[in-house]
Amino acid sequence: MIAIRSITFAMAGKPLFEAASATVQPGKTVGIVGRNGTGKSTLFRLIRGELPLEAGEIEIPRAARLGGVAQEAPATSASLLDTVLEADEERAALLADDSEDPERIAFREDRLAAIDSHSAEARASAILRGLGFDAAAQRRPCAEFSGGWRMRVALAATLFSRPDILLLDEPTNYLDLEGTVWLEAFLADTPSTALVISHDRGLLNRSVEQILHLDHRKLTLYGGAYDQFEAERRQRAAHAAAQAEKQAKARAHMQSFVDRFRYKASKAKQAQSRLKMLERMDPIEVQRDGSVSGFAFPSPPELAPPLMQAEDVTLGYDGEAVLRKITFRMDQDDRIALLGANGQGKSTLAKLISGRLAPMQGRWTVSRGAKCGYFAQHQLDELVEGETPLQHLARHRPDAPPKVLRSELARAGIGPDIAANAVDRLSGGQKARLLMMLAAREAPHVMVLDEPTNHLDVESRDALAQALAAYEGAVILVSHDPHLVESVADRLWLVKDGTVAPFDGDMDDYRALLLKERGAGGRAASSRVSDKAETPKRSKRDASAHRRVLAELRGEVSRCEERVGKLEAMRGQIDAKLMDPDFYQTAEPGRHEALQKKRAEIEEALEKAEALWLDAQSRLDAEAAAA
């Protein structure tokens, strides 16, 4: 059990926890969620005892072994398999014990049997295979792999060591979609107590039993997966808001009585009684999350199909082919997700489509006037250190005045405070928003998004999915986030063994295939099968029509909002005149009655406009929920 009792902690003067408490029961897999910067990673450091608490305590079992991925596996000559096996320190120590004492030998053999040492190599190999290393790769030295791949080895070592308490901080950030699917199944079946910080809605829905929410320096534990947590939190917020409104009305009523009668002898006692009631009434706190800024993708002009077409195209680098004789066509309404393990050529294909790589052989045709926006995660490092987002955008729009540039940045969720900061001081999510805006600035006919979500929280990922649903161009998506793939893509292409081919199935089919190939199963895999049976597939035509309906409804909601705003402004102008004492001295006779009549007409029109607005918003919510 992990017992967090009334902890208080501040980092660099910023309060992160104030009398925060929560209890995690043994064997539970818990997802830790909260906005970026609220202190989720700091909580892990507090649990590990790396930081001193200002108040409160965190209690874990004295003999509990904690496991987490602090850094990538070292670049040594040891093989991947040996590196993972060495993570079980007790096993490694027992095997290194060459004592000839009979009692010591007996103890060693008993412990090796107790920790299931005979199956250790098979277990380590299965974990590595699940994370994307085949048998040949497992025998290669760690030094031959890049930092990203060695992070996977470090994760494999942590999982193999079977700690009592597993602490994972954004484990899918350095995995591909295939590794993420396998990890979801592993976490759903792990016997360890597991705390997982993640912005991956799919993982939080398929792998965890509880959600620990960090918000306003407090910890709240919710039962169930992420979608259940989100629904329950909305219900709690609505209830608190209703209670707060009820209390506010009661306070206003009592305060009005006090103001009127506190100095009247016959009512003074009652007034004082109500005054004391007001003093004893604790205000109901309504916590409101700051709204997440959306993404904006301008609508491109329509081009005649096909938008792009490949015929027997071969792609590669330095004369060595990666993809051979691929043939496909893309139209402007296509939403395509590229599936396949890292290293199979997904990014190579994305570079062809975005115009960053020419074919080695074959015919590649692009419609005249077609524009492409390209976002790749490595581009985060290509931003100019010391320059602000405003300066980055000005480089592409040298003739635009600063006011226009700031407006464009604001629409992309980059407010004035962020726009004036040097990019090296921005968070990963803010940098991603800037790059996304730069990629879409010319209203491209196709957006190529290569791992766009690594630095985005759950709400921002949802906002990205909504923006792509409203976007009227083609989308090519490479992502380790299954939820984003399921939300955006109408078609799936499998990039594997040097070829590109349509995948005949949906994400549930692909998930089942991966779990079968990589040796994962258990309740996670079986639950997917049952979910799949209940979920109808959406055809490409249905999805395209759905996006058009969503766009029309959003436009209707926007028009209704504008109408309500205008009517409210007109009512406000009339109210200002009616409340002005000078108006009654200088106005023409009958002017007061005319304004009162006009206000009544506006009030009636406003009531109808609000009803239309609510109806449009309800239809939009229903259509979005049907996605």
Side-chain angles (χ1 to χ4, degrees), residues 325-346:
K325 293 187 175 299
I326 58 176
T327 297
F328 63 86
R329 67 172 275 171
M330 274 177 50
D331 296 328
Q332 196 165 323
D333 63 344
D334 275 328
R335 305 299 170 96
I336 302 166
L338 305 183
L339 309 178
N342 280 358
Q344 291 291 327
K346 299 191 300 293

Side-chain angles (χ1 to χ4, degrees), residues 588-608:
E588 298 175 2
R591 180 61 174 160
H592 172 260
E593 289 78 5
L595 277 180
Q596 288 283 17
K597 183 179 179 181
K598 182 67 174 177
R599 190 190 189 285
E601 293 172 353
I602 291 174
E603 194 71 44
E604 183 180 355
L606 182 58
E607 186 176 340
K608 292 179 180 178

Side-chain angles (χ1 to χ4, degrees), residues 185 188-189 515 519-528:
D189 285 336
L515 295 176
R523 71 175 186 270
S526 62
S527 68
R528 287 171 179 76

Side-chain angles (χ1 to χ4, degrees), residues 204-206 208-211 222-230:
L204 293 171
N205 272 327
R206 284 185 281 266
V208 309
E209 302 163 271
Q210 296 176 318
I211 295 291
Y222 294 78
Y226 186 84
D227 285 349
Q228 184 177 337
F229 145 76
E230 199 173 48

Side-chain angles (χ1 to χ4, degrees), residues 126 129-130 178 181-182 185 496 503 507-522 524-526 528-529:
R129 184 171 68 254
E178 291 68 23
V181 168
W182 180 88
K496 186 177 181 181
F503 180 76
M507 276 301 298
D508 287 324
D509 297 315
Y510 188 60
R511 188 178 289 111
L513 175 64
L514 286 173
L515 295 176
K516 181 179 179 181
E517 289 179 347
R518 299 197 176 192
S526 62
R528 287 171 179 76
V529 175

